[in-house]
Amino acid sequence: MTCTKAHFIAIVALVVAAQTWPGPGRAGDQMSTAEEPTNDMGLSSDSLIPREDWKRRVDDARKRAEQARRDWRLNDPRRMVEPDPQEKIATQRVLSDDTLRPGDIVSTDKGFLLFRGRSGADGQNADFVPIAPR
């Protein structure tokens, strides 16, 4: 029994010695200022500016972020672009048709139109008159 007691005392002594050992590399130890690792960040030019300039930079960054949010909402790529309805596409196509002759009747999403001819100095403006329903 004395041997077991001696082993127990030796183990307790080793644990106490390990806990109080001042050697480097142990977690929780405080290092002296000479042993402290240098900060990778260092002092940047931003840490040396006056408070008012820092506040102005922060406000400018907030304004840029708000503008970016507004731009995103306007140009959201997730927004589905709805194509024009077929009726509108067909109407635009028939109203810009250059093969129409005076007296032709065309059907549009606004009803039937009578083509009177082209007007304007360049002859590009088409002249249509609505046909009254019976």
Side-chain angles (χ1 to χ4, degrees), residues 50-121:
R51 184 173 179 85
E52 291 78 26
D53 289 343
W54 178 80
K55 284 182 177 181
R56 182 183 46 77
R57 286 184 183 185
V58 169
D59 288 340
D60 291 345
R62 285 183 180 147
K63 288 175 186 173
R64 286 191 308 273
E66 182 60 34
Q67 182 62 40
R69 279 191 290 273
R70 273 190 239 117
D71 291 346
W72 176 260
R73 278 186 229 122
L74 291 175
N75 302 318
D76 189 355
R78 296 173 294 170
R79 183 181 299 166
M80 295 297 295
V81 177
E82 292 186 26
D84 288 334
Q86 294 295 325
E87 298 85 18
K88 185 175 181 179
I89 294 171
T91 297
Q92 290 171 348
R93 185 177 296 155
V94 76
L95 293 179
S96 63
D97 187 1
D98 59 349
T99 62
L100 290 175
R101 302 200 183 259
D104 287 348
I105 297 175
V106 294
S107 174
T108 68
D109 60 345
K110 298 173 184 123
F112 291 105
L113 300 176
L114 173 66
F115 179 68
R116 289 188 145 178
R118 303 220 180 262
S119 62

Side-chain angles (χ1 to χ4, degrees), residues 33-49:
T33 54
E35 294 176 351
E36 286 185 21
T38 59
N39 187 357
D40 290 338
M41 298 287 285
L43 290 178
S44 70
S45 62
D46 289 342
S47 64
L48 302 175
I49 63 173

Side-chain angles (χ1 to χ4, degrees), residues 1-16:
M1 181 114 148
T2 46
C3 186
T4 308
K5 194 174 189 181
H7 283 135
F8 177 74
I9 292 173
I11 291 173
V12 169
L14 284 173
V15 169
V16 170

